[in-house]
Amino acid sequence: MARFSYQAFSKVGKKVSGTLDAPSLGSARELLQQQGFFPISIVSSHKAAAQENFLRRLFQSSVPLKE
C-alpha cells in the first residue's frame, strides 16, 4: 500500500486535507468519495515530500547574508 496526501471538499463545502493508505491512486479517490468527500488533488506522499524538499532547497540561502 502507498500513502497519499489529499485535498478535498466535504458535502457542506468545507476544504479538508489529510493522508490515507491505498493500493493505488484510483483506490484513494474511491475511498474519499465513499467517505463523502469530493477530491481536488491526490498525490503520493513520496511525491509530495520530494516537491517540498525541492522548494526548501530552492529557497535556502547558501550565500551568507554578509556577502
Side-chain angles (χ1 to χ4, degrees), residues 36-54:
F37 294 121
F38 301 95
I40 301 168
S41 74
I42 305 172
V43 294
S44 163
S45 288
H46 175 72
K47 186 175 181 179
Q51 289 173 343
E52 184 179 315
N53 286 338
F54 171 76

Side-chain angles (χ1 to χ4, degrees), residues 6 8-11 16 18-21 27-39:
Y6 67 87
F9 284 111
S10 68
K11 288 183 180 181
V16 294
T19 59
L20 61 90
D21 292 322
S27 298
R29 183 178 293 115
E30 287 178 23
L31 286 170
L32 288 169
Q33 290 172 341
Q34 288 172 359
Q35 295 174 5
F37 294 121
F38 301 95

